[in-house]
Amino acid sequence: MRRFQIEVPSDPAFLRMVRTAVDTLCAMGGMEEDGRCMIVLAVDEACSNIIRHSYDGAADKRIICEGRLEEETVSFILRDFGKKVEPSRIQPRDLADLRPGGLGVHFMRKVMDSVEFEDCGAAGTCLTMRKRLPANRGG
Amino acid sequence: MQIETKVMGKATLVQVSGEVDMSNSPEVRDTLLGLAKKKVPAILVDLGGVTYMDSSGIATLVEGLQETLGYGGKFRLASLTPKVKQVFDLARLTDVFEIFSDLASAQEGL
């Protein structure tokens, strides 16, 4: 297994750093650019949601992002220490309802094979997202 | 991310380039809503230079569209890169916006 772990502040200016790490790990797994872009989007949306909802926009809190590349799957685990999120309340919105915002969870669920929110003890939430690697990948 | 505006006949062109995410989409929003507040007849958003867009960028464009249509203006998108088109497809928004392959065709009929 190949893995990385980075910690970034909950400052949107650091989202690019997370995107670069995610893209790099997916490329190591032999994924083509089209597929990588979508996984990068899903992880980026998850981080944005942490900043927006768990930390109410505070830019000085902790986000830990771990990426794991295994034989058949790539997975990303995001840990925050903010407000607890009730997993059953995290639902994508109806796309027919045209309004700004609320698309992040839809993107995450559409792109990844699994999206699981877990209670992480005293504070915060753990989010694990997995994607099966394509069979015809290069690398 | 860079954003530039210029007047082109009846339309106001907004050229966006680089990566649009939560850190800079408020800048795009300010530009679009500023133009809508002035009730410019048409806003053309050229996305040809956009290499990445997240849901906050999409939300900003939805807001711009709604504000512009609200006063009877036109709101058009041009030159979506394949990466940005993928995100629009995911959000099922390709039928909601007027999307043109290039700037010249986006200006037709204004």
Side-chain angles (χ1 to χ4, degrees), chain B residues 41-52:
Chain B
I43 298 174
L44 296 186
V45 187
D46 180 1
L47 297 172
V50 175
T51 52
Y52 176 79

Side-chain angles (χ1 to χ4, degrees), chain A residues 12-13 15-16 19 33-34 37-38 41 44-45 48 51-52 95 98-101 103-104 106-107 110-111, chain B residues 19-23 52-56 58-60 62-63 65-66 82-83 86-87 90-93 96:
Chain A
L15 289 173
R16 190 175 193 186
R19 293 200 294 269
E33 192 178 10
D34 281 2
C37 285
M38 290 292 98
L41 177 70
D44 186 62
E45 295 291 349
S48 297
I51 296 170
R52 199 176 283 123
L95 294 188
L98 183 64
R99 60 178 168 84
L103 286 169
H106 167 73
F107 286 173
K110 196 82 183 169
V111 169
Chain B
E19 297 186 332
V20 182
D21 68 9
M22 189 187 180
S23 71
Y52 176 79
M53 182 173 280
D54 75 352
S55 69
S56 72
I58 297 278
T60 296
V62 168
E63 206 175 352
L65 171 74
Q66 289 177 327
K83 282 184 185 177
Q86 258 187 310
V87 184
L90 207 57
R92 296 190 214 144
L93 285 172
V96 171

